[in-house]
């Protein structure tokens, strides 16, 4: 149990285009989903927290107009990187909590999406 | 401020035992998590401690002392596939996860 999927796993796009990443909890209902970014050899950086049916809470320094988050259902959250630029190239990982595992507070991670902006 | 400290890198030998320490200072405490992250992959959940003591799960064990703000992850009978980064994360009073920078564990034959 507690499986989270992410799509796509890898995307290459041109500068100025928008990219949408989907995060799904496959076998549990996730009231809260998290979006992280990780640069090579660095720790996870939380970008935003999203609760189903409400607006996402963004961390300081993360532009909410650039990184659009929609959490329309208990099993799906999307992150759209608008007008992507090369500096947005990174590993984007979502996580979800609320699964029926050892603890309701455990975050389970999707496999990540590697974004390369040319 | 809030911070999580863990060693940047450790090296151990296949078949041996290694202990990865984590100390924390956070505003409130609602549990401590250990995750494993292989290079280029997302983290996977290893353990959760909210009460003092040792939690054993196969070759991996995790210990917590809330009074000392200290935890360790113990890996026994090390295998080459255990080479990865190990992330310590603490849930604070707002139920936000505070992440350590991770410990890169290198296993040598």
């Amino acid at each position: 149990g507690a499986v989270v999927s992410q799509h796509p796993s890898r995307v290459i796009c041109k500068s100025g285009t928008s990219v949408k990443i989907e995060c799904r909890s496959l076998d549990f209902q996730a009231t809260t989903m998290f979006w992280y970014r990780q640069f090579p050899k660095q720790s996870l950086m939380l970008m935003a927290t999203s609760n189903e049916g409400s607006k996402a809470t963004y961390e300081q320094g993360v532009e909410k107009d650039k990184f659009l988050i929609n959490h329309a259902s208990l099993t799906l959250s999307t992150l759209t990187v608008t007008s992507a630029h090369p500096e947005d190239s990174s590993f984007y990982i979502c996580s979800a909590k609320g699964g029926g595992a050892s603890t309701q507070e455990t975050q389970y991670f999707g496999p990540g999406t590697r974004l390369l902006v040319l | 401020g809030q911070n999580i400290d863990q060693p940047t890198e450790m090296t151990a030998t296949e078949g041996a035992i290694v202990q990865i320490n984590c100390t924390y200072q956070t505003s409130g405490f609602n549990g401590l998590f250990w995750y494993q992250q292989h290079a280029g992959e997302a983290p996977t959940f290893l353990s959760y401690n909210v009460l003092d003591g040792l939690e054993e799960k196969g070759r991996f064990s995790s210990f917590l002392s809330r009074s000392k703000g200290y935890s360790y992850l113990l890996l026994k009978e090390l295998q080459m596939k255990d080479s990865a980064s190990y992330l310590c994360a603490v849930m604070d009073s707002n139920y936000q996860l505070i992440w350590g920078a991770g410990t890169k564990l290198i296993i040598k034959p």
Side-chain angles (χ1 to χ4, degrees), chain A residues 2 9 11 32 38 46 57 68 75 86 90-91 93-94 96 104 113 116:
Chain A
S9 58
V11 59
T32 306
Q38 188 176 36
L46 179 65
T57 302
L68 302 178
T75 60
S90 188
F91 190 41
I93 316 172
C94 74
Q104 290 284 320
T113 297
L116 177 61

Side-chain angles (χ1 to χ4, degrees), chain A:
Chain A
V3 179
V4 178
S5 71
Q6 232 177 292
H7 179 79
S9 58
R10 200 176 284 268
V11 59
I12 301 173
C13 68
K14 292 182 179 180
S15 185
T17 60
S18 293
V19 175
K20 180 187 276 190
I21 303 170
E22 290 188 353
C23 177
R24 293 181 185 271
S25 56
L26 298 186
D27 54 0
F28 67 101
Q29 292 186 326
T31 52
T32 306
M33 286 185 168
F34 305 84
W35 286 96
Y36 291 86
R37 181 166 53 182
Q38 188 176 36
F39 293 104
K41 298 185 180 180
Q42 293 188 23
S43 187
L44 296 169
M45 289 172 45
L46 179 65
M47 298 176 67
T49 302
S50 81
N51 293 295
E52 183 263 339
S54 61
K55 289 184 178 180
T57 302
Y58 290 81
E59 295 299 300
Q60 198 170 9
V62 178
E63 300 173 57
K64 61 181 180 181
D65 294 331
K66 180 169 182 65
F67 298 99
L68 302 178
I69 292 171
N70 184 283
H71 191 163
S73 76
L74 285 171
T75 60
L76 173 65
S77 176
T78 60
L79 166 68
T80 302
V81 183
T82 61
S83 187
H85 291 285
E87 58 266 29
D88 298 324
S89 299
S90 188
F91 190 41
Y92 291 87
I93 316 172
C94 74
S95 70
K97 73 173 182 179
S102 59
T103 169
Q104 290 284 320
E105 297 301 329
T106 300
Q107 289 185 31
Y108 293 91
F109 286 84
T113 297
R114 200 162 295 282
L115 171 64
L116 177 61
V117 185
L118 303 176

Side-chain angles (χ1 to χ4, degrees), chain B residues 10-57:
Chain B
M10 298 181 71
T11 302
T13 306
E14 190 177 15
I17 299 173
V18 71
Q19 178 175 310
I20 303 174
N21 295 324
C22 171
T23 57
Y24 62 89
Q25 289 178 305
T26 57
S27 55
F29 179 84
N30 279 300
L32 185 144
F33 297 81
W34 284 96
Y35 285 83
Q36 179 191 59
Q37 186 177 24
H38 284 100
E41 298 180 10
T44 55
F45 169 74
L46 287 179
S47 67
Y48 170 71
N49 294 67
V50 68
L51 299 176
D52 289 351
L54 187 68
E55 295 273 347
E56 295 187 74
K57 196 184 290 186

